[in-house]
RNA sequence: GCCGCCGUAGCUCAGUGGUGGAGCGCUCGGCUGUUAACCGAGUGGUCGCCGGUUCGAAUCCGGCCGGCGGCGCCA
């Protein structure tokens, strides 16, 4: 007999029929006359009933431990008292593996769940998040491929820094030192001279000793770089990308969002275009709501939260003072003290999920910038070289995919958005 | 890097100077339909580690280790 999925039974497709189901024991309850085994598979949970008259089936059902793997056979019937409205009256049950006492029970701390993430992964909550995450990654690839981008791959081992400020993880590399990449950007810039529109989805590593709910040391980075694009061109693709991701999740993962308690109307509001706001205006706005901040300051976490709570959908912040951004951003020809860059801030206090902008494409300007930032041009020889042979205006961006998942799923911590989070204090499981 | 908090049974916690506890889990038994079922019995400990104070330390003091939350830094 072919096995069926829980979700298909719950849709009513097998009412009155005998079915085979495979899965894990989610809950077990027993009374004198019947034993209930709630079965979990990748598609949902379903109540199965064993009646005492069944003898051996009942004896097994009342003894099987939570999270044991089982194969069951029985007849599907409607039952209003069962979760989901259907249940299976068992005529056979086979314990594939009797689980040891499962260490996670009704009482659980965040810390314990992180220590046991390999087991907590099978919870309904993590399952919902992982399904949403899968849809987000799929939607990213879908968007880029439908819009003329080529997918490329950049190295994870690098010989020197990409951005000056961020901290690098150092790893032994034979008789040399290597570093783990913090961004594929410089490599993507090399690809635009042949492929013009490129993207990559890969991990980035940052050795920042950040202790916040929005930071991972290893995070998934969706980055793109496009020849002949300016700052505004790039933002147009980004808002369409974010709209596409959110629409996909709403279309395919509604029940998972609802399980997580996400307010769907907040996501339905995410439609392009997004507002563009100059950094200068943002500072004024921050002052209007009582935040003490002066021009040239980078936005603190409190300020960012306060401001993004004012918005219904993501908002672009542009034209930051050049000293608050990395050296490679192109200065605004109309006001060289600011750069043609943008951050995309997610609403509801989630904050920055994208950083991007137009790159300096003229050799002399780039060399002058590198020097004025106190950096060594030798460390950027490849990057500089790209400005010597048919340089073109171009722009790019990087999306923190885990942050996007956190926002879309409405999670309160980024470590709930990734299966095995790596943070300053957590390297296992 | 800075500030704050926590560490006692497999899990969640109570115990704040005098013989280490409860609920859940697990094991056994009971109950004719449960909904994180319920009832009864049993099981379960390096009180994070090291040192100090004391007649006596889970409890007070010092150091260390591990973790959590927040800030700064960033996607």
């Amino acid at each position: 007999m072919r096995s069926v999925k829980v979700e298909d039974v719950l849709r009513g497709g097998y009412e009155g029929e005998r079915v085979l189901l495979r899965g894990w024991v989610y809950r077990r309850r027993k009374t004198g006359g019947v034993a209930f085994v709630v079965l979990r598979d990748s598609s949902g949970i379903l109540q199965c009933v064993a009646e005492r008259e069944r003898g051996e089936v009942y004896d097994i059902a009342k003894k099987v431990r939570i999270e044991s793997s089982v194969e069951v056979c029985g007849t599907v019937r409607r039952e209003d008292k069962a979760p989901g409205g259907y249940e299976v009256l068992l005529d056979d049950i086979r314990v594939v593996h009797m689980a040891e006492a499962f260490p996670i029970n009704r009482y659980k701390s965040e810390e314990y769940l992180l220590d046991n993430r390999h087991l907590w992964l099978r919870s309904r909550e993590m399952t919902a998040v992982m399904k949403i995450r899968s849809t987000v990654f799929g939607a990213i690839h879908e968007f880029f491929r439908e819009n003329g981008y080529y997918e490329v791959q950049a190295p994870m081992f690098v010989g020197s820094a990409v951005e000056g400020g961020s901290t690098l993880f150092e790893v032994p590399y034979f008789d040399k030192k290597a570093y783990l990449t913090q961004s594929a950007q410089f490599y993507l810039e090399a690809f635009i001279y042949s492929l013009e529109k490129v993207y990559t989805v890969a991990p980035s590593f940052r050795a920042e000793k950040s202790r916040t709910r929005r930071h991972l040391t290893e995070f998934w980075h969706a980055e793109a770089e496009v020849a002949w694009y300016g700052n505004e061109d790039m933002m147009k693709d980004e808002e369409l990308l974010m709209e596409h991701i959110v629409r996909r999740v709403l279309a395919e993962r509604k029940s998972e969002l609802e399980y997580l308690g996400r307010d769907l109307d907040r996501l339905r509001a995410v439609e392009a275009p997004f507002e563009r706001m100059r950094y200068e205006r943002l500072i004024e706005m921050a002052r209007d709501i009582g935040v003490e901040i002066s021009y040239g300051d980078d936005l603190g976490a409190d300020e960012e939260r306060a401001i993004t709570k004012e918005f219904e959908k993501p908002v672009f912040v542009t034209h930051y003072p050049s000293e608050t951004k990395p050296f490679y951003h192109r200065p605004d020809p109309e006001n060289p003290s600011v750069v043609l860059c943008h951050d995309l801030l997610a609403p509801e206090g989630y904050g920055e999920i994208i950083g991007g902008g137009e790159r300096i494409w003229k050799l002399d300007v780039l060399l002058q910038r590198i020097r004025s930032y106190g950096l060594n041009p030798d460390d950027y020889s490849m990057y500089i070289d790209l400005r010597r042979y048919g340089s073109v205006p171009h722009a790019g961006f990087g999306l923190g995919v885990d942050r996007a998942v956190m926002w879309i799923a409405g999670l309160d911590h980024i470590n709930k958005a990734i299966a095995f989070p790596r943070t300053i204090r957590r390297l296992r499981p």
Side-chain angles (χ1 to χ4, degrees), chain A residues 197-245:
Chain A
K197 297 173 80 171
V198 296
Y199 81 98
T200 193
V201 180
S204 283
F205 306 89
R206 306 253 168 114
E208 294 150 3
K209 296 189 173 176
S210 303
R211 291 193 46 77
T212 78
R213 61 182 67 187
R214 313 171 45 225
H215 284 86
L216 297 167
T217 52
E218 175 185 303
F219 67 96
W220 281 82
H221 214 173
E223 294 177 277
E225 204 70 30
V226 187
W228 316 106
Y229 263 31
N231 203 36
E232 177 59 29
D233 301 315
M234 198 68 264
M235 286 189 279
K236 280 192 175 122
D237 275 12
E238 290 166 33
E239 64 195 357
L240 291 173
L241 167 66
M242 297 315 299
E243 180 185 80
H244 178 72
I245 295 170

Side-chain angles (χ1 to χ4, degrees), chain A residues 137-176:
Chain A
F137 275 76
I140 289 169
H141 286 285
E142 198 173 52
F143 175 85
F144 282 124
R145 286 160 185 273
E146 282 173 2
N147 285 279
Y149 286 77
Y150 290 96
E151 181 177 6
V152 299
Q153 290 77 32
M156 300 291 108
F157 284 130
V158 296
S160 64
V162 171
E163 302 181 23
S166 307
T167 328
L168 290 154
F169 282 107
E170 191 180 297
V171 291
Y173 196 78
F174 304 112
D175 54 343
K176 295 196 181 88

Side-chain angles (χ1 to χ4, degrees), chain A residues 87-381:
Chain A
E87 69 178 14
V88 172
L89 179 61
L90 295 179
D91 57 56
D92 194 17
I93 180 167
R94 188 169 82 85
V95 177
V96 177
H97 176 245
M98 177 65 104
E100 296 177 28
F102 200 63
I104 301 173
N105 61 31
R106 72 165 78 162
Y107 302 110
K108 53 211 191 265
S109 63
E110 296 287 339
E111 180 182 346
Y112 187 72
L113 295 182
L114 282 165
D115 287 340
N116 292 281
R117 179 53 71 87
H118 55 300
L119 302 177
W120 183 237
L121 207 51
R122 57 180 83 181
S123 66
R124 297 183 79 192
E125 181 184 339
M126 284 304 300
T127 301
V129 173
M130 290 302 115
K131 286 180 181 177
I132 291 166
R133 186 177 165 100
S134 172
T135 298
V136 169
F137 275 76
I140 289 169
H141 286 285
E142 198 173 52
F143 175 85
F144 282 124
R145 286 160 185 273
E146 282 173 2
N147 285 279
Y149 286 77
Y150 290 96
E151 181 177 6
V152 299
Q153 290 77 32
M156 300 291 108
F157 284 130
V158 296
S160 64
V162 171
E163 302 181 23
S166 307
T167 328
L168 290 154
F169 282 107
E170 191 180 297
V171 291
Y173 196 78
F174 304 112
D175 54 343
K176 295 196 181 88
K177 287 175 186 170
Y179 305 93
L180 297 179
T181 184
Q182 335 173 274
S183 166
Q185 181 193 325
F186 287 8
Y187 294 95
L188 295 193
E189 289 192 49
F191 280 108
I192 64 166
Y193 295 89
S194 52
L195 300 174
E196 299 194 36
K197 297 173 80 171
V198 296
Y199 81 98
T200 193
V201 180
S204 283
F205 306 89
R206 306 253 168 114
E208 294 150 3
K209 296 189 173 176
S210 303
R211 291 193 46 77
T212 78
R213 61 182 67 187
R214 313 171 45 225
H215 284 86
L216 297 167
T217 52
E218 175 185 303
F219 67 96
W220 281 82
H221 214 173
E223 294 177 277
E225 204 70 30
V226 187
W228 316 106
Y229 263 31
N231 203 36
E232 177 59 29
D233 301 315
M234 198 68 264
M235 286 189 279
K236 280 192 175 122
D237 275 12
E238 290 166 33
E239 64 195 357
L240 291 173
L241 167 66
M242 297 315 299
E243 180 185 80
H244 178 72
I245 295 170
V246 170
R247 282 186 179 171
R248 263 276 173 266
V249 173
L250 277 170
E252 294 174 10
R253 299 293 164 217
K254 188 159 164 278
S255 64
E256 285 80 9
L257 290 169
E258 282 168 345
Y259 181 79
L260 295 169
R262 189 66 168 112
D263 181 352
L264 300 185
D265 287 334
R266 304 300 297 257
L267 295 178
R268 291 191 184 105
V270 180
E271 284 185 337
F274 303 155
E275 189 174 336
R276 278 93 166 122
M277 182 185 285
R278 294 174 82 99
Y279 167 85
E280 203 177 348
R281 170 81 190 96
L282 186 76
I283 297 298
E284 283 171 25
M285 213 185 126
R287 285 181 184 150
D288 288 347
I289 60 172
V291 176
E292 277 186 39
I293 190 166
S294 53
Y295 187 87
D297 288 347
D298 220 343
L299 235 49
D302 288 343
E303 294 85 57
E304 197 177 88
R305 209 168 298 130
I307 288 162
T308 61
K309 276 185 177 155
E310 306 274 307
F311 288 91
E312 288 279 301
K313 55 187 186 180
V315 57
F316 284 111
V317 181
T318 66
H319 299 84
Y320 279 78
S322 56
E323 62 273 18
T324 65
K325 290 286 171 184
F327 71 89
Y328 48 73
H329 283 106
R330 184 182 170 210
D332 183 355
E334 290 170 20
N335 175 8
S337 74
V338 301
V339 289
L340 297 173
C341 69
H342 58 270
D343 284 356
L344 183 67
L345 308 183
E348 303 170 67
Y350 281 96
E352 185 176 355
I353 54 173
I354 283 179
E358 209 168 316
R359 319 305 190 191
I360 296 171
W361 62 284
K362 290 184 176 164
L363 180 63
D364 55 342
V365 181
L366 182 65
L367 289 170
Q368 182 265 318
R369 271 284 151 141
I370 288 174
R371 282 191 216 101
S372 72
Y373 271 70
L375 300 169
N376 181 0
D378 292 345
D379 290 338
Y380 300 95
S381 56

Side-chain angles (χ1 to χ4, degrees), chain A residues 377-402:
Chain A
D378 292 345
D379 290 338
Y380 300 95
S381 56
M382 176 192 91
Y383 198 64
I384 292 164
D385 218 30
L386 291 172
R387 273 73 183 161
R388 294 185 205 273
Y389 312 99
S391 191
V392 287
H394 62 285
F397 74 94
L399 164 68
V401 186
D402 316 279

Side-chain angles (χ1 to χ4, degrees), chain A residues 6-45:
Chain A
V6 165
E7 64 184 345
D8 296 325
V9 173
L10 292 178
R11 275 196 204 108
Y14 294 96
E15 191 174 347
E17 288 179 43
R18 185 163 181 268
V19 295
L20 163 68
L21 290 142
R22 294 190 170 114
W24 292 264
V25 176
Y26 178 69
R27 294 268 189 279
R28 185 208 59 201
R29 292 180 283 270
K30 52 188 195 281
T31 72
V34 294
F36 299 94
V37 172
V38 181
L39 184 83
R40 172 180 66 73
D41 73 6
S42 61
S43 69
I45 61 166

